[in-house]
């Protein structure tokens, strides 16, 4: 038997392993050219004996998240407490959905579906897999574990319920409302009985499902629920409007929505949509929007600071001038991160899975097909090119 | 008897009533010349029958508080939810300590000592006295009910304990630390076992107890405890250093303190005093200090926004640039006002009175003598001229 095992180990299949490798640290906005698609790597589909607790996974979906911007910049150390900086010449990593191909970890076995931090490559060896979540519910699209049922979903849940404590009838404003987190915040707030308005920017000069310059089919997004995963893809390319305002109002159930790029002034827009003021602001963008929101908050309002995506690529951030509103309106402005709420994941699933099954929650994804289109999808996040959660499809199950 | 009462009412004593009247709304910094001292008014020392619940009080002490700045400016409406705007030609008002001379209110009777909103004048008729607090403890200087035992004391208590929830060993930074609120925040935090550093600005070109241009004795401050009120005044003019850094470290028990006006850069100063970062910042000043503090906060730090005095008289507030720290360090920044904590006043007294009697709390006041010196004392608040709580003595009991 020992001999046979040894023979099997020796015979472990070796496959090609396409990878997204960091070529340059980004300066300002991340560019496609900051990455290389490396096609000549290989991977043995066996966890090496030297990796006592490793798992080897086949990646299905990768998640394009704003925080990746920081790990791609040389100068910023803001997030080093939570993440390791990417190294030049190495494969980048991020949240993703994958299947275990081989495991030396007692918690995981071959065939398990997992989500968590993995590599931007076809196969990944994960040396410390303790932070991976095992996927127990597969009657939902697996891609949702990069969004609705993954880090963005738990972020929306923690930020809205733990930070903002919404009450029925309160007025809630969500920026980047068609994004991975925003669309869920709005729906969770609606389920709580709040009045919800979202802002989003329209996708510019871009037709749904069109082939872009870099040749990839950018938009294959879908609306849950769908009969099966394969149907989902077919469906996604055919039917959904790409206008985020229409999407927010007519697909996601927001009470109202506006395109911030079409407004003469943000203060005036907010006064129009919130004549009585805002109780809760779920902040994803920062900059001028935050400054305008401060002027329109109500007494004892809460602002959950989830992201400041408009500021991430600026050399110097924009100034915030209406700080006095925090004092005069006795506001609470609170930064948070999903890491504070990981212990709530089971409770979150208990809330959200029945809502998904009852078709009371819709989730919009923007799926870029193929690992080689990953860099463009990630870059697009910072110009607001995506509508819905930006995902990269690496392989189908 | 009825006839006799009526006769007494007719014979009610009429006295001269010096008043501080608003002449101009302030533009930018409040100036002495925005006020008139009106000396020809009179007051009948009887609540008129038309005022069914009024009380008539003799004012002893008036409190110079930063919020008054807003009520003196024409354009600002920030605080109108809490306060009525001052009218041109009318007596201004604010917190003060007074004695009831006559009352038609069931809660108050002649001889009661009270603190709360009263007029900047020798005698005030208070039509709606429900918000006045009756002074039950007179073994402490009455002036303390404008500070330690009044609005600033409850502000310090609510802001530190309710907003910041300090824990033993945490690092606390207080700006305007020698001011009415700051000096108490520091001492409360020390009682909690925190490491406390304060910043203050030195009084410029001003000698302790000196006669200033406008001819009033500016500095008659004292350190509690003192044997009696009359001794307090005599004592106050003779012995205390005016250097706020020395005061913070050697009289108020702060672990360390610095004069922000002598620092090359606030960020560098904070890094020197808080090499491990700040857990709690009690914000009294705003502007560049807040921006520097944001860079030096620790993960999950709390910022209680009590005041932004550096910004109140600017045409346009300074921009805040380090907003991303709120996100990355998951900070909570919370504006508050004493009005949220009025219900805690008895609990606050239970905490603070024994500490005062045990001489574990020191309180520094800066008493301007005479109502006619009130405007200069108030103006001085915004140039940082006071050391300690700025009070105006109107009359001795």
């Amino acid at each position: 038997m020992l001999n046979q095992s040894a023979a099997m180990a020796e015979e472990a299949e070796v496959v090609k392993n396409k990878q997204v490798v960091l070529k340059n640290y980004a300066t300002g906005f991340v560019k496609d050219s900051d990455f290389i698609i490396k096609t000549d790597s290989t991977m043995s589909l066996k966890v090496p004996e030297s990796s006592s607790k490793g798992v080897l996974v086949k990646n299905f979906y990768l998640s394009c998240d704003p925080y990746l911007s920081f790990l791609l910049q040389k100068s910023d150390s803001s997030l080093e407490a939570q993440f390791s900086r990417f190294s030049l010449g190495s494969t980048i990593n991020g949240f993703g959905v994958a299947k275990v191909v081989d495991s030396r970890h007692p918690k995981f076995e071959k065939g398990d579906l997992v989500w968590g931090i993995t590599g931007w490559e076809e196969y990944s060896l994960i040396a410390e897999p303790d932070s991976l979540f095992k996927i127990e519910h597969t009657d939902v699209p697996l891609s949702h574990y990069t969004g609705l049922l993954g880090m963005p979903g738990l972020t929306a849940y923690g930020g809205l319920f733990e930070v903002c404590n919404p009450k029925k009838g309160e007025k809630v404003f969500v920026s980047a409302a068609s994004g991975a987190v925003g669309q869920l915040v709005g729906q969770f707030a609606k389920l709580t009985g709040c009045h919800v308005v979202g802002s989003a920017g329209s996708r510019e000069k871009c037709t749904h499902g069109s082939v872009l310059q870099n040749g990839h089919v950018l938009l294959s997004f879908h609306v849950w629920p769908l009969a099966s995963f394969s149907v989902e893809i077919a469906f996604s390319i055919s039917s959904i409007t790409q206008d985020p305002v229409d999407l927010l109002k007519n697909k996601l159930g927001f009470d109202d929505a506006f395109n911030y790029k079409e407004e003469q002034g943000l203060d005036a827009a907010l006064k129009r949509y919130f004549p009585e003021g805002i109780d809760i602001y779920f902040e994803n963008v920062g900059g001028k929007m935050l400054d305008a929101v401060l002027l329109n908050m109500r007494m004892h309002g809460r602002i959950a600071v989830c992201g400041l995506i408009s500021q991430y690529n600026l050399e110097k951030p924009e100034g915030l001038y209406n700080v006095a509103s925090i004092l005069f309106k006795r506001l609470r402005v609170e930064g948070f991160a999903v890491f504070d709420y990981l212990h709530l994941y089971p409770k979150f699933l208990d809330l959200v899975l029945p809502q998904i099954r009852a078709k009371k929650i819709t989730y919009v994804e923007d799926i870029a097909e193929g690992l080689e289109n990953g860099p463009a999808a990630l870059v697009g996040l910072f110009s607001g090119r995506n509508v819905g959660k930006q995902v990269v499809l690496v392989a189908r199950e």
Side-chain angles (χ1 to χ4, degrees), chain A:
Chain A
M1 283 297 281
L2 274 172
N3 282 347
Q4 198 174 352
S5 289
M8 280 176 70
E10 282 165 20
E11 289 163 22
E13 189 184 357
V14 174
V15 294
K16 286 214 166 188
N17 190 26
K18 204 185 293 176
Q19 297 171 312
V20 176
V21 167
L22 185 62
K23 181 178 162 194
N24 310 305
Y25 284 113
T27 50
F29 278 91
V30 182
K31 301 180 299 295
D32 284 25
S33 60
D34 293 327
F35 305 92
I36 296 171
I37 307 296
K38 193 174 174 194
T39 55
D40 58 354
S41 299
T42 59
M43 173 78 90
S44 162
L45 296 186
K46 203 81 191 164
V47 177
E49 288 192 17
S50 59
S51 177
S52 64
K53 285 189 161 186
V55 299
L56 200 145
V57 300
K58 179 178 184 182
N59 294 311
F60 293 152
Y61 293 100
L62 298 172
S63 177
C64 295
D65 293 303
Y67 79 87
L68 293 172
S69 161
F70 297 103
L71 307 184
L72 295 167
Q73 314 242 357
K74 193 169 189 180
S75 58
D76 197 286
S77 61
S78 313
L79 287 188
E80 287 192 348
Q82 284 99 55
F83 297 99
S84 296
R85 177 159 308 280
F86 296 148
S87 309
L88 290 185
S90 297
T91 307
I92 69 167
N93 62 51
F95 286 91
V97 173
K99 186 163 79 173
V100 175
V101 174
D102 188 35
S103 172
R104 284 182 166 267
H105 193 288
K107 190 176 138 192
F108 301 102
E109 59 184 46
K110 183 174 175 176
D112 281 350
L113 293 164
V114 294
W115 73 269
I117 297 289
T118 188
W120 277 49
E121 56 194 343
E122 291 174 290
Y123 295 89
S124 296
L125 176 63
I126 300 174
E128 305 281 351
D130 287 304
S131 66
L132 291 179
F133 288 85
K134 209 185 282 191
I135 293 175
E136 311 280 2
H137 306 275
T138 55
D139 60 334
V140 293
L142 279 185
S143 57
H144 280 8
Y145 287 93
T146 67
L148 170 52
L149 294 170
M151 191 269 282
L154 189 57
T155 301
Y157 176 85
L160 183 67
F161 293 111
E162 298 292 315
V163 178
C164 298
N165 189 24
K167 292 174 206 71
K168 189 176 173 180
E170 286 194 314
K171 316 292 182 193
V172 176
F173 177 51
V174 187
S175 57
S178 66
V181 175
Q183 58 177 311
L184 290 175
V185 172
Q187 292 180 82
F188 292 162
K190 282 303 298 175
L191 289 172
T192 312
C194 298
H195 179 85
V196 182
V197 179
S199 70
S202 62
R203 183 194 304 263
E204 288 167 57
K205 294 175 190 164
C206 169
T207 313
H208 171 62
S210 68
V211 177
L212 295 181
Q213 281 184 318
N214 57 7
H216 81 275
V217 178
L218 186 74
L219 283 177
S220 48
F221 68 70
H222 65 271
V223 174
W224 174 253
L226 296 156
S228 76
F229 184 64
S230 58
V231 174
E232 172 190 350
I233 297 298
F235 177 70
S236 69
I237 304 185
S238 61
S239 65
I240 308 301
T241 172
Q242 71 176 56
D243 174 46
V245 171
D246 180 62
L247 189 79
L248 291 170
K249 289 166 70 170
N250 299 320
K251 301 283 176 197
L252 298 174
F254 282 55
D255 292 291
D256 220 326
F258 65 91
N259 180 343
Y260 72 90
K261 292 179 179 171
E262 288 174 2
E263 294 292 338
Q264 291 294 312
L266 295 175
D267 180 43
L270 291 171
K271 285 189 166 47
R272 203 163 69 242
Y273 288 100
F274 294 97
E276 296 163 23
I278 301 166
D279 293 296
I280 290 174
Y281 174 46
F282 197 98
E283 167 64 298
N284 287 311
V285 301
K288 290 184 175 60
M289 183 65 91
L290 178 55
D291 230 3
V293 165
L294 284 171
L295 291 178
N296 288 281
M297 291 297 290
R298 294 174 87 170
M299 192 65 78
H300 288 123
R302 288 85 75 198
I303 298 180
V305 184
C306 177
L308 299 164
I309 198 165
S310 75
Q311 306 297 295
Y312 293 163
N313 298 295
L314 302 180
E315 275 196 33
K316 186 184 175 180
E318 294 175 281
L320 192 71
Y321 295 93
N322 300 318
V323 178
S325 290
I326 298 174
L327 173 61
F328 297 142
K329 297 175 186 169
R330 310 179 205 166
L331 307 180
R332 178 158 52 82
V333 182
E334 193 164 342
F336 74 100
V338 70
F339 308 102
D340 295 334
Y341 304 113
L342 293 181
H343 62 288
L344 297 178
Y345 188 64
K347 194 176 158 192
F348 162 69
L349 283 186
D350 287 348
L351 172 94
V352 82
L353 280 170
Q355 299 287 350
I356 295 173
R357 289 170 183 143
K359 305 184 184 183
K360 288 187 179 164
I361 290 182
T362 297
Y363 198 63
V364 180
E365 293 174 347
D366 196 334
I367 298 181
E369 295 200 40
L371 186 62
E372 61 280 9
N373 293 316
L378 182 56
V379 168
L381 204 63
F382 300 101
S383 59
R385 206 163 64 186
N386 57 305
V387 173
K389 167 65 192 173
Q390 181 68 61
V391 184
V392 178
L393 169 68
V394 182
R396 295 195 171 86
E397 195 174 1

